[in-house]
Amino acid sequence: MGYRILETDDIPAYLRERGHWDETADPQVREVSDGNMNRVFLASNADGTRSLALKQALPWVRVAGPSWPMNPDRADAEARAYEQVARIAPDKIPAIHGYDPENYALVMEDMSDLEVLRTLLNEGAPYGPHTSARTGEFVAQFSFATSDFGMASADRKALIAASVSPELCKITEDVVLSEPYIEHEHNHWHEGLDDLAREFRADSRLRTEVADLRHTFMTSAQALLHGDLHTGSIMVGEREGAPVIRVFDPEFSFVGPIGYDLGLYWANVLVSEERARALDSLSDHADQLGLSWTAFETEFRRLWPTRVDTFFDDAYLDRFLRKVWTESIGYAGTEIIRRIIGFAHLTDLTTLQDPVPASRRALLLGRELVVHRGELSNPNDVRALGSLT
Ligand code: SR1
Ligand code: MG
């Protein structure tokens, strides 16, 4: 039949056709699309005892509409990433019920009993002791298993080839790693940031450092990444009395530098901290970068003895982790900057009554992270920097 864009009314029949719905009554369906790229529907029975989520990639960027075409085969990358994580950290992703490559549609667990981390933080909730630790652990487990430490060389080459995702990588290379530093129609910012936006575009030191991070993003095939690991890609909550996280939306997945995943999370953590500071509601925000790094490092080191290639010795592990740390710091800086003067801003800042003071602090912090990443050796150094801006 070929690819068709599904509307709310099409979902019951679609779910039946695909074998996901066998109850006599049709499910009730509502669209809950929220992210920048795709459509999401929730389908549930009348008493709410059964429900499913369906995510479909459109042939364009959802928030931009048909004027920004985008191959829907990005959903293949997402399905592939889920498949890989499912073998190593199934407790940290939604249960996937099926992928339909013809319609670029994924049917998965409905997670509406959980909350999007960003939403909770914007409402003033703390992170709590588990969220960042589990996120760091997720990155370690996923990246170790899909790196040359966790996979045989030939399997890795096949994974790299299968995970090539030119269009989605180009979005990142453009909107995150170049456009904020040049004149571009995608860029916008609050008028109170005019001077900083101009200064950043004229800042040749900053530009060269971003160019270095961009080139690393383009060439460093360390491990399969989530590719867009911000606080809107993580759901948190409790099930059966225990804390859970679910990392979702890995459509930007490709084999790239591990620091890109950690760095995106850290950028969002640091921006949430600026929001909390602006609202005088700081709680555990400043601990999160350290918690996620420690969990990442501890888990990576725990997995190290299982590596498939022992030519990589313990001294190399130290060197490798140092590199990941430094690159993560740099990518955190680029993500902060693009979320304020580039495309796709963050509600953490845009919903503040006056977003300017917090945005200025965040932008300056972002620049420091990019330019001085090589001099920042641990989470305390970043913390000290945060209190200076
Ligand atoms: C055109 S897409 C803009 C952003 O939305 C996604 O969530 C990614 O962060 C991307 O950079
Ligand atoms: Mg997303």
Side-chain angles (χ1 to χ4, degrees), residues 55-366:
K55 174 174 176 180
Q56 186 178 38
L58 299 171
W60 52 74
V61 173
R62 188 184 70 85
V63 289
S67 67
W68 189 343
M70 185 65 47
N71 194 327
D73 71 2
R74 59 187 183 268
D76 296 346
E78 177 158 0
R80 224 174 11 243
Y82 277 135
E83 223 175 274
Q84 290 290 332
V85 189
R87 68 185 176 89
I88 42 189
D91 57 326
K92 295 190 180 72
I93 52 166
I96 304 298
H97 299 309
Y99 176 58
D100 168 10
E102 196 173 336
N103 287 296
Y104 306 109
L106 262 171
V107 176
M108 63 182 109
E109 169 190 359
D110 171 12
M111 299 185 287
S112 23
D113 59 318
L114 307 177
E115 292 271 8
V116 174
L117 177 56
R118 187 189 310 288
T119 309
L120 276 181
L121 295 170
N122 282 353
E123 289 166 2
Y127 282 81
H130 304 286
T131 302
S132 292
R134 293 294 84 78
T135 303
E137 214 174 82
F138 164 81
V139 177
Q141 291 166 347
F142 187 31
S143 62
F144 185 91
T146 58
S147 71
D148 278 304
F149 313 126
M151 283 175 92
S153 174
D155 296 339
R156 267 268 303 167
K157 302 298 181 283
L159 177 71
I160 293 170
S163 310
V164 166
S165 180
E167 264 192 303
L168 277 276
C169 283
K170 185 74 169 79
I171 290 186
T172 302
E173 290 156 19
D174 290 347
V175 304
V176 185
L177 298 167
S178 61
E179 287 171 6
Y181 310 93
I182 56 173
E183 304 264 5
H184 197 283
E185 62 184 8
H186 288 157
N187 296 335
H188 61 108
W189 55 82
H190 192 288
E191 60 189 9
L193 305 172
D194 275 348
D195 57 332
L196 285 181
R198 197 173 336 110
E199 281 171 31
F200 279 30
R201 287 199 303 274
D203 188 333
S204 56
R205 171 126 192 245
L206 178 60
R207 184 183 171 133
T208 306
E209 293 306 331
V210 173
D212 186 34
L213 289 161
R214 186 171 190 257
H215 199 218
T216 298
F217 179 86
M218 292 162 135
T219 55
S220 176
Q222 288 176 344
L224 194 61
L225 308 185
H226 176 283
D228 197 23
L229 190 53
H230 53 74
T231 50
S233 299
I234 299 173
M235 300 199 79
V236 295
E238 263 193 26
R239 284 185 179 166
E240 292 160 15
V244 295
I245 73 158
R246 292 287 181 271
V247 176
F248 65 106
D249 247 8
E251 70 197 308
F252 282 79
S253 182
F254 78 111
V255 180
I258 297 169
Y260 193 74
D261 273 357
L262 285 173
L264 248 69
Y265 183 65
W266 293 353
N268 283 262
V269 159
L270 293 166
V271 168
S272 79
E273 185 178 342
E274 293 301 349
R275 174 188 171 85
R277 212 194 282 188
L279 295 172
D280 247 342
S281 63
L282 261 188
S283 64
D284 56 358
H285 298 76
D287 304 334
Q288 304 310 312
L289 190 151
L291 283 172
S292 53
W293 172 253
T294 303
F296 167 81
E297 185 177 7
T298 306
E299 183 64 5
F300 212 93
R301 287 188 184 281
R302 189 186 71 79
L303 292 165
W304 186 249
T306 68
R307 67 197 178 279
V308 295
D309 182 343
T310 50
F311 189 80
F312 295 115
D313 58 13
D314 291 350
Y316 182 69
L317 172 63
D318 294 340
R319 184 188 294 203
F320 180 79
L321 290 173
R322 198 73 332 238
K323 188 172 156 70
V324 170
W325 160 265
T326 306
E327 289 174 359
S328 305
I329 292 291
Y331 288 122
T334 59
E335 168 74 351
I336 293 175
I337 293 169
R338 76 93 173 208
R339 292 294 194 177
I340 302 174
I341 59 172
F343 187 74
H345 293 189
L346 298 178
T347 51
D348 313 41
L349 295 173
T350 58
T351 59
L352 288 173
Q353 205 174 12
D354 178 6
V356 174
S359 302
R360 294 186 77 84
R361 277 199 308 270
L363 275 176
L364 294 173
L365 174 62

